[in-house]
Amino acid sequence: MTAIYHALIGPLIKQARRLAAGDGPRASGGIGLALGGGFARGFAHVGVFQVLEEEQIPIACIAGTSVGSILGAAYASGVPLPRIAAVCRGIRFRDFSRWRISRLGLASNDRISELVRRCFDARTFEELLIPTAVLATDLGTGEPVVITRGELTPALRASCAFPGLFEPVQVDGRCLADGGLAAPVPTRAAAQMGPHCVVGVSVGFNNWNGEAPKNLFQVVSRAVSAAQKNGGVSWEAAADILLEPDVQTIDWDEFHRADEAIAAGADAARRALPRIRELLRMPASAQPEAIRPSTGATGWPEGQALR
């Protein structure tokens, strides 16, 4: 009976869900979400999804870097948000990685494979209900790599392979590492997928509080962020709206603070609703009064950061 389900009924259900989600020709009729990296801070993306879903804001496509790629792909695979939030609350470092010192890193993130198998409702990009791009960085060329086809697991592992901590991942003969090196918030990739507008969500790594780094991860992450900060952040130009949830007090490994990050993401998304509706030309009357900004301002310039 199980074999019959997978062969006949399963594909029909997946196709119905794709049509309901607006896949295919209707994919460009909504917003493109560009979700940045940030380990535990990235749980804020779940709050953004919650508000967009509650307010019936159509999502045309998703581009994700690092934790943004995992949460974006999970949502695009059809996993219900309460289930995604529950996994975020319970996940710990050991659930997606293991220490394995080598010439290329201190640990491996190969346990992401089990996370995908256990928690996702899809195994390939082609099975996703929303067009999705995963960003990684080619360590041979320094260029961003946009992955939109094939198996999800290698792409997600590569996008999350933070240098110095995790070993790089080989994908199609290329040595790939964290997408945040080349695309901290993958707004360009999202824009290239053809949505009506692009909403970037940046959760960042650093507070720049003047204190010295306390461990190897902070040394590497601050060095990368400093290079990006002083080299210009051209990715912002590709965003119509930039959300910056207030998660700066959450450290990269404080996974137990998932609810705080989710709430911060939801708050940032609610304050962006007027501008999102304006860009999508949705009627203002559809917006609940309870989430209107107290200033009543809706005319933020393109690329405006919402904190």
Side-chain angles (χ1 to χ4, degrees), residues 141-156:
T141 66
E143 297 297 321
V145 177
V146 182
I147 307 173
T148 59
R149 293 185 176 88
E151 296 289 327
L152 284 168
T153 295
L156 297 176

Side-chain angles (χ1 to χ4, degrees), residues 152-174:
L152 284 168
T153 295
L156 297 176
R157 286 191 57 209
S159 187
C160 295
F162 193 81
L165 177 60
F166 293 121
E167 299 167 335
V169 177
Q170 293 288 329
V171 179
D172 295 332
R174 291 179 295 187

Side-chain angles (χ1 to χ4, degrees), residues 105-126:
L106 301 177
S108 168
N109 65 10
D110 56 2
R111 288 181 178 172
I112 288 178
S113 302
E114 174 60 21
L115 185 68
V116 172
R117 188 197 67 78
R118 179 167 50 90
C119 302
F120 282 41
D121 285 348
R123 301 292 179 269
T124 68
F125 282 91
E126 290 75 13

Side-chain angles (χ1 to χ4, degrees), residues 23-202:
D23 198 9
R26 298 172 56 197
S28 61
I31 68 170
L33 272 183
L35 308 177
F39 282 83
R41 293 180 179 182
F43 293 155
H45 298 319
V46 178
V48 174
F49 277 123
Q50 286 177 343
V51 171
L52 296 177
E53 191 171 276
E54 289 168 3
E55 300 302 317
Q56 300 182 15
I57 303 296
I59 299 175
C61 59
I62 299 170
T65 285
S66 196
V67 66
S69 72
I70 291 183
L71 295 173
Y75 185 80
S77 79
V79 181
L81 279 174
R83 184 171 149 204
I84 294 177
V87 172
C88 291
R89 293 186 187 102
I91 202 166
R92 295 296 182 267
F93 185 79
R94 63 179 177 274
D95 295 319
F96 57 85
S97 62
R98 59 191 176 91
W99 297 111
R100 186 175 72 182
I101 299 176
S102 72
R103 293 183 298 110
L104 300 178
L106 301 177
S108 168
N109 65 10
D110 56 2
R111 288 181 178 172
I112 288 178
S113 302
E114 174 60 21
L115 185 68
V116 172
R117 188 197 67 78
R118 179 167 50 90
C119 302
F120 282 41
D121 285 348
R123 301 292 179 269
T124 68
F125 282 91
E126 290 75 13
E127 294 176 306
L128 298 177
L129 309 181
I130 301 172
T132 299
V134 168
L135 274 291
T137 302
D138 189 328
L139 292 183
T141 66
E143 297 297 321
V145 177
V146 182
I147 307 173
T148 59
R149 293 185 176 88
E151 296 289 327
L152 284 168
T153 295
L156 297 176
R157 286 191 57 209
S159 187
C160 295
F162 193 81
L165 177 60
F166 293 121
E167 299 167 335
V169 177
Q170 293 288 329
V171 179
D172 295 332
R174 291 179 295 187
C175 184
L176 303 184
D178 197 298
L181 299 174
V185 182
T187 53
R188 289 182 177 179
Q192 290 170 357
M193 297 171 78
H196 192 81
C197 61
V198 173
V199 176
V201 186
S202 174

Side-chain angles (χ1 to χ4, degrees), residues 2 5 24 34 36 51 94 105-106 120 132-133 143 174 176 207 227 229 245 253 271 294 300 304:
T2 301
Y5 172 86
V51 171
R94 63 179 177 274
L106 301 177
F120 282 41
T132 299
E143 297 297 321
R174 291 179 295 187
L176 303 184
N207 301 331
K229 178 180 179 181
D253 60 347
R271 288 184 284 113
S294 58
W300 296 308
Q304 175 81 28

